[in-house]
């Protein structure tokens, strides 16, 4: 299986598309300057105690208070709290957490008001980003993730990923990490650490410890709420979690980001640095690599997947519903039962892809086409488990009921990716009436004049539908040349296949859209 990462960097956001065998399977976007990413560590302040929920609301600087449940505080919360008091004091002389005497683990059946009070400072980590009307979800079990290891301060436990099947390799990694880790640190060994040598793991472990130890001096001069340790950016975090040697290419349209990713890949595997490539073509990067077309085909209420069969995807506040339909699809020689099973097996592949692509979380109910043979329902269940194995997000799949309903629960840590694929006419705004098309070019001409003369922009980029681009640029007496001679400024006209016929957008020299 070939994997390609296509990254579109713009001034306002970064969009990351993961393709497997040239099919889009993951899409995520991060706005420039976005806060409260999973993994960020904050110094927060307790705003409200909720004994009925056994939880507290914590101010971490978001417009809605974050949520911390008692069960997410972690066994070592008392030790972490002691460390915070010492590190925040004026006599802060911490050089290593190994010098801090550990407190007993907190009671699993305890109450939140026994440990927290309003106004108290607390060290927390974001475990779920803000979703819908909810603020971030927090944990006090601090962990710092690397590519091979996850460091857990104040814990002594060493555990190894269950995805490593060899018990001999598990024991080797556990003995190795126990021999190199300092006291008062726990470590989780990740799947990619399999067969890694001690030197590589030791180097990463010390890098994670150094990152944690930057907290010592920060806590002494920081007021709550504030960010203490920021997670690495979304692109590098994604690479850290999904990169493997069989990666085919990583293509990005920004030179500085390209250099950063090249350095990161080089630090993991020096001979793979060349797979990071810079794209500077005339088309947008997503259009050039066919991502734009896949996005339009893969999002929306109806998704086609095989020979006329399709899914209908509905979203509610409580859960998501996916209905499988065979459409006009029928195979010669297949009876109803076998035809239903064939469509359902193909639907499993597309459902697994849709869950990753839209990052759907919570409860997902799938209504498969009815099958009356129990063995066929079991085949669909087994196939769904097989195709969902590639999904890194924690999930649980229940067998089909006799009515062919399947329930999947999938962990939700980020807002669901939602893209509206149905388009309103940009000219009539859905009213069904437009100004005469004979005036369209004059309207463009007037706006170009306003931008170049009144706003005094030095350069101008005009993005339009390919047909309109051809009309504006073909022939000697075209609008493109007219603007150049009239204003002595360059107006670049760029075609974009994703635009509707009379849609257009203006951009300045910094690639920021000019809203008129």
């Amino acid at each position: 299986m070939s994997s390609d990462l296509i990254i579109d960097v713009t001034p306002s956001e970064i969009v990351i598309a993961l393709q497997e065998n040239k099919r889009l399977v993951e899409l995520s976007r991060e706005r420039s300057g976005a806060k409260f990413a999973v993994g960020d560590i904050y110094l927060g302040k307790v705003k409200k105690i909720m004994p009925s929920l056994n939880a507290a609301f914590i101010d971490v600087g978001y417009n809605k208070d974050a949520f911390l449940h008692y069960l997410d505080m972690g066994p070592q919360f008392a030790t972490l709290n002691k460390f915070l008091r010492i590190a925040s004091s004026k006599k802060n002389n911490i050089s290593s957490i190994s010098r801090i005497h550990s407190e007993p683990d907190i009671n699993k059946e305890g109450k939140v008001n026994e440990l927290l009070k309003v106004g108290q400072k607390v060290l927390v980590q974001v475990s779920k980003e803000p979703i819908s009307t909810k603020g971030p979800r927090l944990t006090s079990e601090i962990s710092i993730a690397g590519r091979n290891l996850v460091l857990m301060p104040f814990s002594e436990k060493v555990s190894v990923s269950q995805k490593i099947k060899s018990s001999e390799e598990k024991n080797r990694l556990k003995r190795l990490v126990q021999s190199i880790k300092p006291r008062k640190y726990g470590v989780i060994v990740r799947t990619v650490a399999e067969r890694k040598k001690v030197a590589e793991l030791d180097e990463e472990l010390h890098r994670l410890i150094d990152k944690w130890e930057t907290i010592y001096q920060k806590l002494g001069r920081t007021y709550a709420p504030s960010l203490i340790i920021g997670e690495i950016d979304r692109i590098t975090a994604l690479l850290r979690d999904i990169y493997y040697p069989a990666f085919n290419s990583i293509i990005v349209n920004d030179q500085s980001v390209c250099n950063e990713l090249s350095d990161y890949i080089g630090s993991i595997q020096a001979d793979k640095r060349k797979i990071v490539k810079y794209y500077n073509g005339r088309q947008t990067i997503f259009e050039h690599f066919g991502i734009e077309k896949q996005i339009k085909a893969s999002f929306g209420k109806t998704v086609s997947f095989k020979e006329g069969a399709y899914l209908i995807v509905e979203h509610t506040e409580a859960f998501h519903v996916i209905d499988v339909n065979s459409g006009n699809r029928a195979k010669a020689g297949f009876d109803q039962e076998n035809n239903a099973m064939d469509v359902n097996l193909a639907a499993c592949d597309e459902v697994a892809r849709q869950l990753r692509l839209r990052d759907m979380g919570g409860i997902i109910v799938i209504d498969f086409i009815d099958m009356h043979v129990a063995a066929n329902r079991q085949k669909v269940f087994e196939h769904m488990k097989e195709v969902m194995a590639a999904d890194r997000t924690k999930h649980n799949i229940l067998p089909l009921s006799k009515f062919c309903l399947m329930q999947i629960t999938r962990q939700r840590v980020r807002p669901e990716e939602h893209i509206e694929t149905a388009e309103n006419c940009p000219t009539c705004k859905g009213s069904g009436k437009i100004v005469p098309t004979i005036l369209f070019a004059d309207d463009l001409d007037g706006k170009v004049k306003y931008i170049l003369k009144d706003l005094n922009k030095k350069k101008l980029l005009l993005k339009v539908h390919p047909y309109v681009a051809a009309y504006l640029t073909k022939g000697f007496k075209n609008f493109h040349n007219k603007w150049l001679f009239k204003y002595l400024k360059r107006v670049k006209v760029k075609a974009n296949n994703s635009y509707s016929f009379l849609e257009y957008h203006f951009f300045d020299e910094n690639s920021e859209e000019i809203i008129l």
Side-chain angles (χ1 to χ4, degrees):
M1 179 179 68
S2 66
S3 296
D4 304 278
L5 205 63
I6 315 295
I7 304 168
D8 182 20
V9 181
T10 66
S12 59
E13 66 178 1
I14 297 173
V15 187
I16 306 161
L18 173 64
Q19 290 194 117
E20 291 178 355
N21 294 330
K22 303 302 180 183
R23 292 184 76 230
L24 182 64
V25 294
E26 287 188 28
L27 185 74
S28 61
R29 63 185 69 237
E30 182 177 18
R31 294 201 170 276
S32 299
K35 297 181 179 179
F36 308 102
V38 172
D40 285 349
I41 299 174
Y42 282 85
L43 179 64
K45 182 182 288 187
V46 179
K47 288 293 291 293
K48 190 185 295 183
I49 305 290
M50 301 292 289
S52 59
L53 300 175
N54 204 16
F57 286 99
I58 313 294
D59 179 12
V60 291
Y62 189 62
N63 55 9
K64 289 187 178 293
D65 292 334
F67 184 79
L68 175 66
H69 194 273
Y70 182 87
L71 296 177
D72 293 324
M73 293 170 71
Q76 292 86 32
F77 180 78
T79 307
L80 177 66
N81 216 20
K82 181 179 180 180
F83 161 76
L84 179 58
R85 286 198 307 271
I86 296 172
S88 301
S89 69
K90 293 181 179 179
K91 296 181 180 180
N92 176 6
N93 59 354
I94 297 175
S95 59
S96 170
I97 62 173
S98 61
R99 298 176 59 185
I100 296 177
H101 179 71
S102 295
E103 298 293 317
D105 289 355
I106 64 173
N107 181 10
K108 290 182 180 179
E109 306 297 327
K111 301 295 181 183
V112 68
N113 51 11
E114 297 170 356
L115 298 174
L116 295 178
K117 60 183 180 181
V118 174
Q120 178 181 336
K121 290 194 293 186
V122 60
L123 202 60
V124 290
Q125 186 169 32
V126 177
S127 59
K128 285 186 181 180
E129 291 180 9
I131 296 174
S132 185
T133 59
K134 300 175 183 176
R137 176 123 187 195
L138 305 175
T139 177
S140 285
E141 283 195 276
I142 306 296
S143 63
I144 301 177
R147 175 161 173 77
N148 301 296
L149 307 172
V150 178
L151 182 72
M152 303 187 71
F154 306 107
S155 171
E156 295 283 358
K157 186 178 179 182
V158 175
S159 55
V160 182
S161 168
Q162 295 298 315
K163 292 183 180 179
I164 298 177
K165 302 301 181 185
S166 168
S167 56
E168 183 181 336
E169 177 63 6
K170 279 185 179 179
N171 292 332
R172 182 190 77 89
L173 288 169
K174 192 166 187 176
R175 289 195 305 270
L176 189 154
V177 171
Q178 283 174 333
S179 68
I180 62 175
K181 80 171 187 68
R183 289 179 58 247
K184 300 291 176 71
Y185 286 105
V187 176
I188 299 172
V189 183
R190 305 182 75 175
T191 310
V192 291
E194 191 171 8
R195 308 297 174 194
K196 293 291 173 65
K197 295 181 180 179
V198 63
E200 186 175 349
L201 298 181
D202 185 57
E203 181 185 354
E204 181 171 300
L205 179 61
H206 281 87
R207 191 163 60 245
L208 295 176
I209 291 172
D210 289 343
K211 184 175 181 180
W212 162 254
E213 290 181 348
T214 62
I215 203 173
Y216 297 166
Q217 300 306 318
K218 284 184 180 179
L219 288 175
R221 58 176 187 268
T222 301
Y223 296 95
S226 60
L227 176 67
I228 300 299
I229 298 179
E231 175 62 292
I232 57 178
D233 63 81
R234 184 74 58 85
I235 303 175
T236 313
L238 187 67
L239 273 182
R240 180 190 67 197
D241 294 338
I242 71 171
Y243 175 77
Y244 54 91
F247 241 66
N248 192 44
S249 62
I250 301 168
I251 305 167
V252 60
N253 62 350
D254 183 276
Q255 189 65 65
S256 62
V257 174
C258 181
N259 294 338
E260 289 175 22
L261 295 182
S262 181
D263 292 341
Y264 180 75
I265 294 295
S267 68
I268 298 172
Q269 202 172 4
D271 61 328
K272 285 287 185 176
R273 186 187 292 263
K274 61 187 178 187
I275 71 170
V276 182
K277 301 168 185 174
Y278 172 58
Y279 172 80
N280 62 347
R282 296 185 64 184
Q283 286 183 305
T284 63
I285 188 169
F286 275 8
E287 192 173 350
H288 179 77
F289 290 100
I291 304 294
E292 196 73 53
K293 186 175 181 180
Q294 290 193 65
I295 289 173
K296 295 289 186 184
S298 301
F299 286 85
K301 183 176 177 180
T302 304
V303 180
S304 300
F305 63 91
K306 186 180 182 182
E307 298 174 2
Y310 60 94
L311 305 177
I312 294 179
V313 185
E314 297 275 8
H315 308 279
T316 72
E317 189 68 25
F319 56 88
H320 310 278
V321 181
I322 301 176
D323 185 36
V324 180
N325 292 275
S326 60
N328 57 6
R329 180 191 182 284
K331 278 196 171 182
F334 271 43
D335 59 24
Q336 183 178 350
E337 181 75 13
N338 286 330
N339 191 63
M341 187 179 71
D342 191 50
V343 172
N344 287 340
L345 290 174
C348 289
D349 298 329
E350 185 60 31
V351 167
R353 173 175 173 258
Q354 287 292 323
L355 296 187
R356 292 176 66 187
L357 190 57
R358 303 182 188 220
D359 204 7
M360 292 163 65
I363 300 171
I364 301 105
V365 177
I366 306 161
D367 182 8
F368 286 102
I369 299 171
D370 285 349
M371 296 178 294
H372 303 291
V373 180
N376 291 340
R377 294 198 292 268
Q378 184 64 24
K379 282 182 184 177
V380 172
F381 172 58
E382 295 296 335
H383 186 62
M384 180 61 86
K385 289 199 296 184
E386 181 184 333
V387 295
M388 285 288 288
D391 192 342
R392 301 185 312 279
T393 303
K394 291 180 182 177
H395 58 271
N396 185 42
I397 306 171
L398 298 182
L400 279 76
S401 70
K402 71 175 184 176
F403 301 110
C404 281
L405 295 174
M406 176 185 284
Q407 180 179 307
I408 298 176
T409 56
R410 190 171 183 271
Q411 187 179 28
R412 188 200 310 243
V413 296
R414 294 189 178 95
E416 179 190 342
E417 186 65 40
H418 177 73
I419 296 175
E420 185 58 63
T421 56
E423 300 175 352
N424 272 344
C425 171
T427 307
C428 73
K429 312 298 182 190
S431 69
K433 295 181 179 180
I434 63 172
V435 296
T437 52
I438 196 171
L439 301 179
F440 175 74
D442 292 335
D443 184 41
L444 272 184
D445 191 30
K447 289 182 178 178
V448 169
K449 177 182 177 181
Y450 173 73
I451 293 169
L452 295 181
K453 294 199 75 176
D454 296 1
L455 298 183
N456 198 28
K457 295 292 183 181
K458 305 299 181 188
K459 292 182 180 178
L460 182 61
L461 171 63
L462 171 60
K463 291 185 180 180
V464 291
H465 187 275
Y467 287 171
V468 177
Y471 173 75
L472 295 174
T473 57
K474 300 303 179 185
F476 179 73
K477 293 185 178 181
N478 60 51
F479 277 85
H480 183 256
N481 289 337
K482 172 188 168 183
W483 292 329
L484 178 62
F485 292 130
K486 189 174 182 179
Y487 305 113
L488 300 178
K489 294 178 181 178
R490 180 172 174 77
V491 179
K492 186 177 181 181
V493 178
K494 194 171 185 179
N496 192 317
N497 284 323
S498 67
Y499 283 9
S500 55
F501 185 57
L502 296 181
E503 182 179 1
Y504 59 89
H505 297 275
F506 294 104
F507 298 86
D508 63 16
E509 59 269 21
N510 299 316
S511 299
E512 294 185 2
E513 185 173 359
I514 302 169
I515 307 296
L516 298 177

